[in-house]
Amino acid sequence: TQLLEQSPQFLSIQEGENLTVYCNSSSVFSSLQWYRQEPGEGPVLLVTVVTGGEVKKLKRLTFQFGDARKDSSLHITAAQPGDTGLYLCAVTNFGNEKLTFGTGTRLTIIP
Amino acid sequence: GAVVSQHPSWVICKSGTSVKIECRSLDFQATTMFWYRQFPKQSLMLMATSNEGSKATYEQGVEKDKFLINHASLTLSTLTVTSAHPEDSSFYICSAPSLARFTDTQYFGPGTRLTVL
C-alpha cells in the first residue's frame, strides 16, 4: 500500500491570500485526482491529472502533476471562505480502479 | 453528471445490533462499487470492493464477517455492519466508477454517519 502524504495537515489563512498544498509519494501513479470534501458530505472531484508535468486550471485553482508523476500541488489564488474544506488527493495504480487517498489538508479561510 | 445516493444519511444504533447501509447508482449501472470509512478529522480509507455477481474483496485488516457486502444488482450495493460496537462509529462513503472509457472518474455518495451507542 503506497502512502500519500499531504502537507500541510492544517492551514488557516485570511481571505484574499494565496496558498499551496502538496501531495507526495515515493511511488509513480497512473493518475492523480484532487477532491474537496465538506463536513458531512462525500468528496467532490475537482480535477484529474494523468501526464507528468501537466498543469490544469480551474478558476482560482491551479493543479500541477510532477514530472515524475510522484507528486502534485494545488495552488489557490485569492482564497475565499467558500474554499474552506478538506482537500484530498487520490491516486490509482495502473489498471486498477481502486483509489488510495492522501492524508488530507484541512483548509480554513478566515473572512 | 452521474449520481450516487446512500441511505440512510445517518443512523444511531445500540451496541450489538446490525445496521444496513445502501448505496445506489441512480442513473448509471455499476458492476463495481467501493466502500470507504472515514473517522473524524481523517482521510478516507478503502474498506472493500463490491462486485456485482461475485464476492466482495476486502482490504487488509477489514473483517469480512463483520462488514457484509452484497452487490444485489447493477445499481445497488449494501454494507451491513454486524454486531456493531462504538468503535464502528464512523462516516461510511460509497463510490462507483464511471463506465466511460479512458477516465478514472468515480462518483461518490453523500455518506452515512453511523453512531453506535
Side-chain angles (χ1 to χ4, degrees):
Chain A
T1 303
Q2 59 192 4
L3 185 62
L4 276 177
E5 290 283 349
Q6 288 186 239
S7 60
Q9 186 177 1
F10 300 97
L11 183 59
S12 182
I13 64 171
Q14 293 289 136
E15 180 178 0
E17 293 184 357
N18 302 332
L19 66 107
T20 303
V21 298
Y22 301 92
C23 175
N24 294 289
S25 175
S26 57
S27 302
V28 177
F29 320 128
S30 59
S31 71
L32 184 145
Q33 301 176 342
W34 283 95
Y35 292 82
R36 181 171 65 218
Q37 184 185 24
E38 302 197 24
E41 299 181 10
V44 175
L45 179 66
L46 297 174
V47 77
T48 299
V49 286
V50 295
T51 305
E54 182 176 4
V55 177
K56 283 191 174 180
K57 292 193 175 185
L58 183 65
K59 296 183 181 178
R60 294 176 294 100
L61 279 59
T62 301
F63 305 86
Q64 184 160 10
F65 201 12
D67 290 340
R69 298 164 72 184
K70 294 182 179 181
D71 54 81
S72 180
S73 63
L74 159 58
H75 182 81
I76 301 179
T77 304
Q80 299 178 2
D83 296 328
T84 292
L86 177 65
Y87 286 81
L88 296 161
C89 63
V91 298
T92 55
N93 284 323
F94 299 92
N96 192 330
E97 291 178 311
K98 291 199 298 186
L99 277 174
T100 300
F101 280 87
T103 49
T105 293
R106 191 164 297 278
L107 175 64
T108 302
I109 307 302
I110 304 167
Chain B
V3 177
V4 173
S5 70
Q6 285 185 236
H7 178 81
S9 55
W10 58 270
V11 56
I12 301 173
C13 69
K14 292 183 178 180
S15 185
T17 61
S18 295
V19 174
K20 180 185 286 188
I21 302 170
E22 294 184 348
C23 177
R24 292 182 185 272
S25 55
L26 297 185
D27 51 0
F28 68 105
Q29 293 182 334
T31 55
T32 301
M33 291 183 176
F34 299 98
W35 285 96
Y36 298 83
R37 181 168 52 184
Q38 184 178 31
F39 291 109
K41 301 192 185 303
Q42 294 188 20
S43 186
L44 280 73
M45 294 295 294
L46 180 65
M47 298 175 66
T49 303
S50 174
N51 304 298
E52 192 271 337
S54 63
K55 291 181 178 180
T57 53
Y58 291 80
E59 296 300 301
Q60 191 173 11
V62 178
E63 302 173 59
K64 60 181 67 178
D65 293 330
K66 181 170 183 62
F67 298 99
L68 301 180
I69 291 174
N70 181 27
H71 203 127
S73 72
L74 287 172
T75 59
L76 174 64
S77 174
T78 59
L79 168 67
T80 301
V81 183
T82 62
S83 186
H85 291 284
E87 57 266 30
D88 299 323
S89 298
S90 188
F91 194 50
Y92 291 86
I93 305 172
C94 69
S95 73
S98 166
L99 293 181
R101 296 179 63 193
F102 310 122
T103 176
D104 292 322
T105 300
Q106 289 196 24
Y107 301 100
F108 284 82
T112 296
R113 171 83 51 199
L114 170 63
T115 301
V116 184
L117 302 177

